[in-house]
Every structure is written in C-alpha cells, then in structure tokens.
Amino acid sequence: MPDKKHVKYVLTEDQLPRAWYNIVPDLPVPPAPVLHPATRQPVGPDDLAPLFPMALILQEVSTERYIEIPEPVRDIYRQWRPSPLFRARRLEKALDTPARIYYKYEGASPVGSHKPNTAIAQAFYNRQEGIRKIATETGAGQWGSSLAMAGAMFGIEVEVFMVKVSYHQKPYRRSLMETFGAKVHASPTNLTDAGRKILAEDPDSPGSLGIAISEAVEVAAKNPDTKYSLGSVLNHVLLHQTVVGEEALLQMALADDYPDIVIGCAGGGSNMAGLLFPFIREHLTNGRRARFLAVEPMACPSMTKGVYAYDFGDTVQMTPLVKMYTLGHGFVPAGIHAGGLRYHGMAPLVSLLHEQGIIEAVAYHQNPVFEAAVTFTRAEGITPAPESAHAVRAAIDQALEAKAEGKERVILFNLSGHGFFDMASYQAYLNGELEDYEYPIEEVQRAQASLPQIPVVTIG
Ligand SMILES: *Cc1c(COP(=O)(O)O)cnc(C)c1O
C-alpha cells in the first residue's frame, strides 16, 4: 500500500532513462507501411532524406526495442528531467473519492510542455548531420517555442509557420519564439505555393495544422540546407517522449502503487504515447494489466469519429501517406482553445493500438474540460494547458466513477503542460463565452469521401 502523506515522487539525475522505448517490436500486429504520395508504393529511407536527417529516418523505421539517448541530449534533459510525479491528494479530497490520482508533470520544462523532449533530440540529430535550418509548423505555439529553444541551444535557424488563428489568439507564444531567435509567419502565407493556393481559394482562411505542415514541408523540400521537423504523430517523436513513461514507471514503484488506468490527452498522440507506451509494454509483455485512455476534443475527434485509413499528413498532399485515424486531410477545425489538439489525424502507432482495442478513446466538449481544469487549479495550484485539461477531465470522471461504485481505483495521467500562455482561454471560460462545437457527422462523411483510394497493400 502507498504511504499516507507523500505528494511528490522524485528521481535523481542518475535515474534519467538511458534509452527511449520503441514499441514496434511489442505490437500485436506489424505497422502498415508508409506510402509515397505519388507512386503509392512503400517509401524507403532515401525518399524521406530531403525532409529529415538520416538518424531520425532510421529511428522512424527501427524495430529495435531500445534506442540509446545520446549524452548531449541527456545533458539538456537534466535541466528539467526527471520530471516530478505528483499524487493529487488535495484533488482527491475535493472530489471525496476513494481513487488515488497521480499525475506526471511535464509543465516543468523551460517552455512549459512535454514537447522539448523531442525538440532537443531532433535538433541534436540535425546538427550532427550539418543542417543549418529547420522549418516547422505550430498550432498553439507550444511546438514552435520548443523547437525554437532547441534551435537556440544547438545553433540552428528555426522558421515557424504558425496557424493564423493561433498567431492572433496567442501573441505571447510568438514573442517567445522570436525571443529564442526563430522566424515566425502566420500561415497560410504568400511565401509558399501551398500557402498561395489556399489563400487563392479562401483569402480569410484561419489556417490549420494541415496547411502549415504543407508550407513547412515545401520550404524544406526546396532548400538543400533546410530540413523539416514535426512535433507529434511520427514514430520517432513518440519514441523520444517515452522518457516520460519510463520515469513514471520508476516513480509509481517509489509510490508503491500501480495504475489501473493511464490517461493522456491526444492531439497527434505524442504526450499520451510517451506516458502510455512503457505501461503498454508492461501490459503486453509482463502481465501488469491496466487500461489505457486517450482523450480528445469533440471538435476534433479523430479516433472517436474518424476513419482508420491511409491519408496525407498535410492539406496539400505533399507528405507520405500513413495509415491512421483521420478526419480527412482537408479538415479545418473550429477555433477551440485547445489549439494543440486540432490535428486531423492521429499517430499511426496510437491508431493501431486503438484499432486493436488496447487504447480506448473518449471525447469531451471544451466547457466541461475547462470546468475540470478550474477544479484542478484550485486543488493542486497548477493551471493546466487547455490540451492537458482534457486528461484532467477524464481523470476526474474516473475518480467520480470510482466514488459512485465505492471502489478504489488508481489513476495516472499526463499533465502535459501548464496554461500560463492560455489565460485568455480561461478568461473566456470564466466569462461564460466558450462555445461547445461538435464535429458534424456530415463532415465525417465528407472527409471519408476525400480520402485517397489505396489498393490493398500486401506485405512480404
Ligand atoms: C502540443 C500539445 C499537446 C498535443 O500534442 P500531442 O502530440 O498529442 O501530445 C498536448 N498537450 C500540450 C501541453 C501540448 O503542448
């Protein structure tokens, strides 16, 4: 039984993981191949070389269970890792629940989210291969500021295409990126063919992650000294985030406890995978059973309402095709405040695990999400990022269900970031101005109709 009073479980710097965990060899079925956007044949490493450094491409297709974390990356991780695991005792009390609630706090990184875990690694490998500049997209600005920080640390120029609606909603994220020395544009721009095409169709386009990705990919594809970087979705990004779950496993052992359910909010799936995958390894290979839950917004419900199919990662159909839960590459989401969750697709590895019934999914409207975030803030003192607040909502609902059943339940969730740059969203909630958007079913059907037609691919 866990002790009676601890609220925080900390590891020493020496306990910082030495390897990232690659879930691929432990999957119940092999992942579907990634297809070339033009030929629709499986891509090889050389096809991806214009966009990514080879070290990351090899991680993308690796079947090794563990991949060593380079020492220069660990040295930077040390600044905020191992991150703390908290027992939410005051929240438990506020809810009057028999459940034990734990959260892994990734908001302690310099930019306030889990995203530097991969930004640092990606900048390191780009630097190693002599790349001078990285182009990327950002939604709410969390990814852009993480990569801007990593670029500053490794001496790499960073150019960010920021979704236009967020550029105006979150001006201070832009200021932070520029403080790190990055160049930031409101996407769609007139700087790329992709941006000009979108603007010709809709001069008032609010932008979307899919559009911003098209722009950044185009910049990388056209400039030999420039690579592209993505902050979620891809296998190597999920891989880098597994430091979160590896640490949490050690911390749950310190707490002398083990979760019945592990929860993460899911935009592209990286923070959730980072926490869940090491626990899924234990579930699949070590008999330590648990439930796994992904939480998404009703306004962008890729797993709960999307289809599992091959689709493009971007709007203008430049990226390779991956098999994933998707709302369609043409999807332009409503302007909800959890900007980091507004992506049309879900990471292929997460999608596969959802399809296999290992990761469950649930969707919430933004008002109940902010209500949970306020309850959490008042009890624990930490203001969650609107994205992370989706996980908070689900954790609270799990605790209330345990209370209704009069049973214990051990709940672990990822508090992927703090919300200090999102106080305008909190203010809108407190003023009663937030609208609950539900993604219409006709849109789901339209999205389905827009999917590329892929003949059945036989493997081997
Ligand atoms: C970007 C972001 C997310 C969503 O991205 P994932 O890849 O799904 O993790 C969630 N929480 C925070 C704090 C973010 O910045």
Side-chain angles (χ1 to χ4, degrees):
M1 263 306 278
D3 71 87
K4 294 234 161 33
K5 61 181 194 307
H6 286 171
V7 296
K8 190 165 87 195
Y9 300 92
V10 288
L11 303 173
T12 65
E13 278 183 38
D14 295 336
Q15 290 172 294
L16 183 61
R18 293 183 182 280
W20 293 301
Y21 166 58
N22 178 15
I23 200 167
V24 169
D26 293 327
L27 291 174
V29 293
V34 173
L35 306 182
H36 192 282
T39 65
R40 313 251 156 132
Q41 294 302 308
V43 297
D46 290 343
D47 295 314
L48 298 171
L51 294 186
F52 302 104
M54 198 44 75
L56 290 175
I57 294 171
L58 295 178
Q59 289 182 359
E60 190 62 23
V61 299
S62 173
T63 52
E64 293 292 312
R65 188 170 278 107
Y66 293 100
I67 294 175
E68 196 179 313
I69 306 175
E71 273 312 307
V73 172
R74 290 182 83 233
D75 283 343
I76 294 177
Y77 279 178
R78 281 176 216 281
Q79 189 182 344
W80 70 93
R81 310 213 67 86
S83 67
L85 178 93
F86 291 100
R87 166 96 183 260
R89 291 191 185 268
R90 286 183 306 273
L91 178 64
E92 291 169 13
K93 206 162 177 188
L95 301 174
D96 188 28
T97 174
R100 297 193 289 283
I101 308 173
Y102 296 85
Y103 58 98
K104 181 75 167 155
Y105 185 44
E106 290 296 307
S109 81
V111 296
S113 77
H114 65 288
K115 291 203 171 77
N117 296 330
T118 185
I120 296 297
Q122 292 191 41
F124 167 79
Y125 290 115
N126 274 285
R127 176 84 245 182
Q128 247 198 345
E129 295 183 26
I131 299 309
R132 286 201 22 250
K133 182 167 134 185
I134 303 177
T136 195
E137 75 295 325
T138 196
Q142 292 267 24
W143 169 242
S145 29
S146 301
L147 193 69
M149 175 183 84
M153 288 178 171
F154 286 101
I156 297 178
E157 243 180 88
V158 174
E159 184 168 6
V160 183
F161 292 86
M162 184 171 189
V163 177
K164 193 179 277 169
V165 53
S166 301
Y167 184 91
H168 296 301
Q169 252 180 18
K170 320 234 161 166
Y172 298 124
R173 277 277 167 203
R174 171 191 164 196
S175 311
L176 181 59
M177 288 184 262
E178 291 180 351
T179 303
F180 281 122
K183 205 179 286 169
V184 187
H185 313 288
S187 164
T189 72
N190 271 315
L191 302 170
T192 63
D193 291 343
R196 285 187 288 268
K197 176 167 182 256
I198 299 290
L199 288 174
E201 287 163 11
D202 177 8
D204 297 324
S205 167
S208 71
L209 272 177
I211 295 169
I213 291 173
S214 301
E215 294 207 86
V217 165
E218 182 179 328
V219 168
K222 285 186 175 165
N223 295 288
D225 64 346
T226 302
K227 298 281 183 205
Y228 167 69
S229 167
L230 189 60
S232 186
V233 179
L234 298 178
N235 298 355
H236 67 266
V237 178
L238 274 50
L239 173 80
H240 300 153
Q241 292 296 349
T242 57
V243 283
V244 176
E246 293 289 12
E247 288 174 7
L249 270 170
L250 298 177
Q251 289 163 311
M252 289 304 302
L254 280 183
D256 200 14
D257 218 346
Y258 198 81
D260 297 309
I261 183 160
V262 192
I263 300 170
C265 68
S270 75
N271 88 85
M272 180 189 72
L275 178 65
L276 268 58
F277 282 6
F279 286 89
I280 293 178
R281 173 189 65 215
E282 299 303 304
H283 174 89
L284 292 175
T285 68
N286 276 337
R288 295 164 95 184
R289 313 293 286 184
R291 283 178 59 201
F292 303 97
L293 182 63
V295 193
E296 54 186 20
M298 282 281 193
C300 190
S302 34
M303 275 179 289
T304 47
K305 286 200 184 154
V307 291
Y308 189 47
Y310 271 102
D311 198 6
F312 296 97
D314 71 326
T315 305
V316 184
Q317 313 186 3
M318 293 166 69
T319 68
L321 290 156
V322 294
K323 193 164 183 200
M324 61 181 174
Y325 278 90
T326 178
L327 296 167
H329 54 271
F331 174 73
V332 177
I336 57 161
H337 286 270
L341 304 184
R342 285 192 304 228
Y343 182 61
H344 67 270
M346 182 51 58
L349 290 175
V350 169
S351 294
L352 184 153
L353 287 161
H354 179 55
E355 208 257 337
Q356 292 285 313
I358 295 168
I359 296 180
E360 304 164 44
V362 65
Y364 286 109
H365 279 303
Q366 55 181 352
N367 276 299
V369 163
F370 274 93
E371 182 197 15
V374 168
T375 301
F376 184 86
T377 302
R378 291 178 186 172
E380 296 292 311
I382 299 174
T383 308
E387 293 85 359
S388 322
H390 287 72
V392 174
R393 175 75 263 170
I396 287 179
D397 282 359
Q398 286 291 323
L400 293 176
E401 200 178 282
K403 178 181 172 177
E405 291 171 6
K407 285 199 193 123
E408 290 193 351
R409 188 175 300 183
V410 182
I411 300 161
L412 168 64
F413 71 94
N414 198 356
L415 190 63
S416 51
H418 68 63
F420 290 167
F421 282 96
D422 304 285
M423 295 321 293
S425 322
Y426 275 85
Q427 195 61 57
Y429 168 72
L430 294 170
N431 294 349
E433 293 164 5
L434 285 193
E435 278 178 55
D436 283 334
Y437 304 93
E438 188 154 344
Y439 188 62
I441 193 71
E442 308 81 64
E443 288 293 320
V444 177
Q445 287 151 356
R446 249 180 41 153
Q448 206 161 355
S450 80
L451 290 175
Q453 297 303 307
I454 303 295
V456 177
V457 180
T458 47
I459 305 168

